[in-house]
Amino acid sequence: MTSLVFLEHHGGALEKGGLGVLSKAASLGEAAGVVLGEGASGVAAAAGAFGATKVYACEAPELAAPLPQPRVDALETLVEKTGADAVLFAASVLSADVASGLAARLDAGLNWDLTDLSLADGELVGKRPALGDTVLVDVGWKGAPKLGLVRSGAFDPVESGGAAEVESFETSFSDFSTLATLVEQTQEESSGPSIEEAEIIVAGGRGLGSPDGFTMLEELAAALGGAVGATRAVVDAGWYPYSTQVGQTGKSVSPRLYIACGISGAIQHKVGMQGSGTIVAINKDPNAPIFDFCDIGVVGDLHQIVPKLTELVRARG
Ligand SMILES: Cc1cc2nc3c(=O)[nH]c(=O)nc-3n(C[C@H](O)[C@H](O)[C@H](O)COP(=O)(O)OP(=O)(O)OC[C@H]3O[C@@H](n4cnc5c(N)ncnc54)[C@H](O)[C@@H]3O)c2cc1C
C-alpha cells in the first residue's frame, strides 16, 4: 500500500499528530509526507525520521494562509502524480476541511474519526468508534484513493531513524480555491504545552465549583510541566476554553499521566482520555463512575488535595 500523509507544521516544526499517522502508514507500506505552505521545504526532511521515504513540499504563495481549498488543489496534483492508494490526515480543523474537500474533488470515500489502521488481504481497513463510542467497527473503502482522517492522539510518532528525499512540486490553483482570504489570525495565549502534545494533563470538571477553581489546576499543571484539560460541562458553562475540552465532542488525548479533578467520568469524557498511561481521579463521591476505570483514586475534596499536591510537586523541584 502506498500512502500520502498530510503533515501540518507550526513554528518551524512538524505537528505530532501528523507524524503519528505517518509512523502508522509507514508500518503498513510505503508512506510519503506532504508539507505545504511557508517554510515547508525547511521542515519536510524531518519526516524521514518517522518513516517517510519521500516528502513532497510546496511553498506556493497561495498556500501561505492556513486555508483548505488551495491545499485540496495541491493534494489533487499529488494524487494524480503518485497514484497513491491512500491519503491520510491527523484530525484538526484544517485537516478535516482539506480531507472533506479532497473527497468531494476526487469523488473519493473519506472515513473519519479512525482510531486504528491495518491491512487485511492487502487492503486498508480502518477502525472507528460508533454508537456513542460504545462499539468499535471496521470500515473500508469502495473506491480510490482511500481517504482517512485519524482521531487525534490515536498514534504516537515512532522514530525509525530513516531519511527522506524532499521533492519540491508545483501545482495549479482553481479560481474558486483562491477566492477566500485570511483576514485575521490570532493565537490563543498559552504558556505551557497544548493538551494534544502534553505528557501530563490536569483536567477539571464541575466539581471545581466555579471558574476560579481552574487557577488551582493551572498551578498544578505548571508545577508538573503539563497542560490543563476540561469536561464539556465546564466548557459549556464558559468556565474554560473550548479548545481544552476532552471527550467525544472534544479532543482525544493520551498523555502519560491524566489527573481528573472533580470529574464524574461520564462515558463521553472517558472516550477522550481512556488511552492515557496512568489515570488519577480526585472526587469526593466514592461512587463516581471515574473510580471504575482510574488507576489511582483519591476520595476527597479537591480544594484541599490539589493545592497540597502542587506544594509537594514544587518541593520535589
Ligand atoms: C452527545 C454528547 C457528547 C458529549 N461530549 C462530551 C465531551 O466531549 N466531553 C465531556 O467531558 N463530556 C461530554 N458530554 C457530557 C457528559 O455526558 C457529562 O455531562 C460531562 O462529562 C460531565 O462533566 P463533569 O464530570 O465536569 O460534571 P459532573 O458529571 O457534574 O461531575 C462533577 C463531579 O465532581 C465531583 N465533585 C463535586 N465537588 C467536588 C469536590 N469539592 N471535590 C472533588 N470532587 C467533587 C462530583 O462528585 C462529581 O462526580 C457529552 C454529552 C453528550 C450527550
Side-chain angles (χ1 to χ4, degrees):
M1 190 196 73
T2 59
S3 51
L4 290 170
V5 180
F6 181 69
L7 300 171
E8 289 185 48
H9 59 107
H10 187 70
L14 295 169
E15 298 267 322
K16 188 178 156 196
L19 292 176
V21 175
L22 175 63
S23 298
K24 184 67 190 181
S27 74
L28 299 175
E30 200 180 314
V34 182
V35 189
L36 305 173
E38 214 173 301
S41 307
V43 291
F50 299 90
T53 45
K54 198 167 211 177
V55 187
Y56 296 97
C58 182
E59 296 202 21
E62 289 85 349
L63 295 163
L67 293 169
Q69 282 303 325
R71 284 166 171 72
V72 173
D73 290 318
L75 284 171
E76 184 185 15
T77 302
L78 281 181
V79 167
E80 272 168 24
K81 179 181 159 75
T82 63
D85 300 317
V87 188
L88 302 172
F89 302 81
S92 74
V93 173
L94 178 63
S95 285
D97 275 352
V98 178
S100 49
L102 188 65
R105 185 78 64 86
L106 300 177
D107 199 18
L110 167 65
N111 276 309
W112 73 100
D113 205 22
L114 300 173
T115 53
D116 202 4
L117 290 166
S118 58
L119 290 180
D121 298 328
E123 291 293 322
L124 186 66
V125 177
K127 205 171 267 306
R128 69 178 297 269
L131 299 176
D133 280 358
T134 53
V135 291
L136 285 173
V137 294
D138 287 341
V139 291
W141 289 259
K142 280 186 185 163
K146 301 169 163 86
L147 309 187
L149 185 67
V150 175
R151 199 183 255 208
S152 120
F155 302 125
D156 283 330
V158 180
E159 285 210 46
S160 56
E165 177 199 341
V166 177
E167 183 178 318
S168 296
F169 72 100
E170 294 197 352
T171 180
S172 56
F173 296 94
S174 311
D175 288 346
F176 61 84
S177 295
T178 50
L179 287 179
T181 52
L182 188 72
V183 178
E184 193 186 358
Q185 191 173 17
T186 52
Q187 190 85 23
E188 199 173 306
E189 274 195 39
S190 82
S191 46
S194 69
I195 61 167
E196 293 99 323
E197 307 268 320
E199 293 271 312
I200 298 174
I201 293 178
V202 181
R206 207 153 24 196
L208 288 171
S210 75
D212 297 342
F214 273 99
T215 308
M216 188 170 44
L217 300 197
E218 283 165 357
E219 284 169 3
L220 177 57
L224 291 165
V228 175
T231 64
R232 177 165 160 178
V234 293
V235 167
D236 281 351
W239 292 7
Y240 221 57
Y242 173 70
S243 58
T244 62
Q245 184 187 318
V246 173
Q248 184 184 328
T249 41
K251 289 174 180 156
S252 292
V253 294
S254 47
R256 268 191 308 117
L257 174 65
Y258 191 92
I259 307 179
C261 307
I263 293 177
S264 59
I267 177 74
Q268 296 89 353
H269 187 77
K270 182 185 172 190
V271 295
M273 43 70 85
Q274 61 192 352
S276 306
T278 301
I279 299 172
V280 178
I282 304 170
N283 197 304
K284 69 175 184 187
D285 174 7
N287 297 315
I290 198 155
F291 288 130
D292 294 339
F293 60 90
C294 69
D295 299 290
I296 300 169
V298 184
V299 179
D301 183 353
L302 65 88
H303 295 98
Q304 290 171 8
I305 296 163
V306 174
K308 288 225 170 71
L309 199 52
T310 308
E311 252 175 56
L312 285 171
V313 174
R314 283 185 184 145
R316 291 186 63 167

